[in-house]
Amino acid sequence: MTALEATAELETHEVLNQPAPPGDRDLWQDDPALRAALAGSGAAQAGLAGYGAALGRAELREAARDANRNPPELRLFDSGGRRLDELRFHPAYHRFLRLSTAAGYHAVAWEGGPAGHLAHAAMVYLASQVEPGHCCPLTMTHAAVPVISGAALPGEWRAGLLSRQYDPSVRPMAQKAGLTLGMAMTEKQGGSDVRANTTRAERDGEAWRLTGHKWFCSAPMSDGFLTLAQTGGGLTCFLMPRWLEGGRNGIRIQRLKDKLGNRSNASAEIEYHRALAWQVGEEGCGIRTIVEMVHHTRLDTAMAPVGLMRAALREAGHWTAQRSAFQRRLIDQPLMRAVLADLALDWQGSLALGLSVARAFDGADEADRAFARIGVALAKYLANKLCPLVVVEAMEVLGGTGYIEDTSLPMLYREAPLNGIWEGAGNVICLDALRTLAREPLAAEVLNARLDAAAGLDRAYDAALAAHRARWSRGVAEAEARWFAERSALLLAAAALLQSGPGPVAEAFVATRLTAERGRLSGAIPAELAESVLAGGLPLGE
């Protein structure tokens, strides 16, 4: 980066009314909502302050730009025609993985410290604001730990996955300082219905040999993958190492997906050619085994879109605080204030809900586990439906500048749909929520208890909760699953905000999200509510 300021006095004009580059930011210190939500939890002791400060540096934003301007290169063969099946990544991508691995993004939840899952959720939120592509292999590594723990596997897989040393070398796991683990489940004919998978497994001594294909494999340079294949006993979960002591495993990359979203990470279509793998869990119980990984990745897919919203709003806040139109700063104009306040409510409600669910992941009793199962589905659904809307509105705040790749907003916009698709698209998530409530009485009980905990703090909330229960007192029809999930998630978010201390944000959230006090589109809220949200200053770190 240059150490000199850019030239504003040009031969044909002087550059005026353009916000100065933001320079270094501190993603921890400039986020009072995050710090308040974690106060007293012990999560902040996990090094979040240092991690947020590092991620906010201007040079890291440049590195994120480099990583996404230089996508991974697929190298199927070496110069002599020998098979490689490798990817080459830009050094900036490795830089982010090194930083986040050292911070413990993937490991903090399993190291025994206080509020480990809450700290992990905060790290997902922070990292997604800058370079979301590198989060994919670390999220899967984090989520794989409880699945492989206790499995009869050769070598120290768990220790390797929890290592805080990032090691991208192409070597067998026993020779590496740290490991990453991916997942490959979906196939062409099944999609979300993994029971339709056709990949087959045959015994080879204590191991298995897998033959088949996988339609999506994210982070294909991971050191191993949890995958599903059919045995004589049914669909079974396996751990497949990427590299073997005797050479390369039979994993063939067919092509990289030309995907929307970040460009720094890679997704691939792959085939297994009698690839060596080790059974994880009981034969025939593959879905039940791997669903534990899915459960933990869903928490990340609930937090990542909140980080994307935060990043987009930070850009909008920086722009409006320094840009003027019609003789007034944009932030001083009532309609702009209404838009920003409304978007900030979407972000803050999603943040409060996601972190409340993360706390349940740290819980040790059955009630916490039951709430984690239902809560993570609702948080994922709500945050991902709001994220694209928030990002595009923030882009519109900047006008044409926001549409240009010189800013981060185009990348954020491309990334915005991802987490709503990954680990269960909207319909799957909503139907999962209904099944959980129908099959687990405790899940329904703890959900109601969480909603009741905010009763009496706001009359509008109480009325909305009563109407919600009356509407579905006899059960929820499948066709109304989205409506039910949306209202349940909004009520949970409102409850979290109200319990953190009833104030302007909580009151405005209830009034605009749970009543008819707003229009359908962003910024269509009562003027007095917008002003109450912004009365203490723009909550966007500017």
Side-chain angles (χ1 to χ4, degrees):
M1 292 181 59
T2 178
L4 297 176
E5 292 185 3
T7 302
E9 295 183 3
L10 308 180
E11 287 78 4
T12 59
H13 65 285
E14 182 180 359
V15 179
L16 301 171
N17 200 27
Q18 285 288 327
D24 288 345
R25 288 166 165 158
D26 188 327
L27 305 191
W28 172 256
Q29 286 298 328
D30 80 358
D31 197 334
L34 175 64
R35 288 187 283 111
L38 300 185
S41 67
Q45 299 173 21
L48 293 175
Y51 187 52
L55 285 168
R57 295 199 306 266
E59 62 175 303
L60 263 291
R61 291 199 298 277
E62 286 297 316
R65 177 183 170 85
D66 290 341
N68 282 278
R69 284 295 186 94
N70 298 275
E73 173 193 0
L74 176 59
R75 298 193 63 192
L76 291 178
F77 303 93
D78 70 6
S79 60
R82 291 170 287 267
R83 193 90 196 198
L84 285 175
D85 292 287
E86 294 179 16
L87 277 70
R88 297 289 191 268
F89 293 89
H90 190 273
Y93 179 73
H94 293 297
R95 182 177 182 181
F96 277 100
L97 277 165
R98 192 170 295 109
L99 170 67
S100 293
T101 300
Y105 177 119
H106 62 301
V108 67
W110 314 115
E111 292 175 331
H117 287 282
L118 187 58
H120 167 76
M123 288 185 178
V124 175
Y125 167 73
L126 291 168
S128 298
Q129 296 177 38
V130 183
E131 205 299 289
H134 82 287
C135 296
C136 178
L138 293 180
T139 281
M140 292 190 293
T141 301
H142 153 80
V145 171
V147 181
I148 64 99
S149 296
L153 301 172
E156 298 296 327
W157 278 94
R158 191 177 191 278
L161 296 179
L162 293 180
S163 170
R164 292 198 179 198
Q165 296 185 62
Y166 172 60
D167 185 348
S169 63
V170 177
R171 290 185 292 180
M173 58 85 63
Q175 301 176 26
K176 299 193 63 170
L179 305 173
T180 58
L181 201 63
M183 175 170 52
M185 289 199 296
T186 58
E187 299 183 3
K188 297 174 184 175
Q189 67 283 347
S192 297
D193 183 10
V194 295
R195 291 176 178 82
N197 284 6
T198 61
T199 296
R200 64 186 186 276
E202 302 171 297
R203 275 230 177 250
D204 184 1
E206 295 183 356
W208 296 77
R209 295 284 178 175
L210 273 58
T211 301
H213 85 285
K214 295 296 173 183
W215 189 225
F216 277 95
C217 174
S218 294
M221 285 295 283
S222 299
D223 295 293
F225 305 97
L226 287 178
T227 190
L228 296 173
Q230 301 284 357
T231 71
L235 196 62
T236 302
C237 181
F238 296 92
L239 171 58
M240 177 181 294
R242 187 77 161 84
W243 327 108
L244 303 175
E245 292 294 339
R248 297 167 187 267
N249 206 356
I251 302 172
R252 303 286 183 257
I253 298 177
Q254 300 304 107
R255 57 172 174 163
L256 297 186
K257 298 292 190 179
D258 189 7
K259 61 182 175 67
L260 189 67
N262 71 79
R263 303 294 172 81
S264 63
N265 189 39
S267 292
E269 183 178 348
I270 63 174
E271 288 185 351
Y272 301 151
H273 294 259
R274 287 187 53 77
L276 183 74
W278 303 89
Q279 183 178 325
V280 177
E282 297 180 29
E283 187 174 353
C285 297
I287 295 176
R288 190 169 67 194
T289 301
I290 209 168
V291 76
E292 181 74 8
M293 184 177 188
V294 173
H295 176 57
H296 286 282
T297 54
R298 279 185 176 175
L299 177 59
D300 290 29
T301 61
M303 292 306 303
V306 190
L308 300 179
M309 286 189 266
R310 171 67 176 169
L313 287 170
R314 186 183 280 107
E315 296 304 315
H318 179 72
W319 180 266
T320 58
Q322 299 190 49
R323 176 85 166 174
S324 297
F326 311 111
Q327 292 76 53
R328 286 185 298 175
R329 290 191 312 160
L330 293 178
I331 187 54
D332 296 328
Q333 303 192 26
L335 188 54
M336 181 62 75
R337 291 175 70 80
V339 171
L340 292 174
D342 203 16
L343 298 178
L345 288 173
D346 284 335
W347 153 59
Q348 288 177 292
S350 299
L351 178 62
L353 176 55
L355 294 178
S356 72
V357 172
R359 285 189 185 88
F361 276 72
D362 281 315
D365 59 27
E366 284 299 321
D368 285 322
R369 285 190 282 271
F371 180 69
R373 285 190 291 274
I374 184 63
V376 76
L378 298 175
K380 169 176 160 51
Y381 182 70
L382 181 66
N384 283 293
K385 293 307 175 188
L386 293 175
C387 181
L389 305 177
V390 171
V391 174
V392 76
E393 287 286 355
M395 180 183 290
E396 189 173 318
V397 167
L398 274 67
T401 297
Y403 196 67
I404 303 302
E405 297 282 353
D406 290 340
T407 74
S408 64
L409 285 162
M411 187 276 288
L412 297 173
Y413 186 61
R414 289 193 300 270
E415 186 77 0
L418 169 65
N419 294 282
I421 296 171
W422 193 28
E423 303 302 14
N427 283 359
V428 172
I429 289 295
C430 293
L431 293 174
D432 278 357
L434 293 192
R435 279 192 291 270
T436 297
L437 293 173
R439 295 175 181 176
E440 298 185 39
L442 183 57
E445 181 182 327
V446 295
L447 175 59
N448 283 321
R450 294 275 181 148
L451 296 174
D452 285 337
L457 298 177
D458 186 291
R459 286 189 293 179
Y461 172 84
D462 294 346
L465 179 57
H468 174 77
R469 286 172 170 164
R471 177 68 184 81
W472 288 291
S473 61
R474 297 183 179 180
V476 183
E478 181 178 316
E480 294 183 2
R482 282 187 174 229
W483 187 10
F484 174 81
E486 176 186 329
R487 293 299 292 180
S488 299
L490 287 170
L491 284 161
L492 275 176
L497 289 170
L498 286 168
Q499 289 176 281
S500 66
V505 169
E507 293 167 4
F509 188 92
V510 170
T512 56
R513 271 66 181 165
L514 300 181
T515 74
E517 285 291 302
R518 67 169 296 174
R520 182 175 180 180
L521 304 178
S522 299
I525 63 173
E528 64 274 13
L529 291 177
E531 285 305 313
S532 71
V533 171
L534 299 181
L538 188 64
L540 304 175
E542 296 293 344

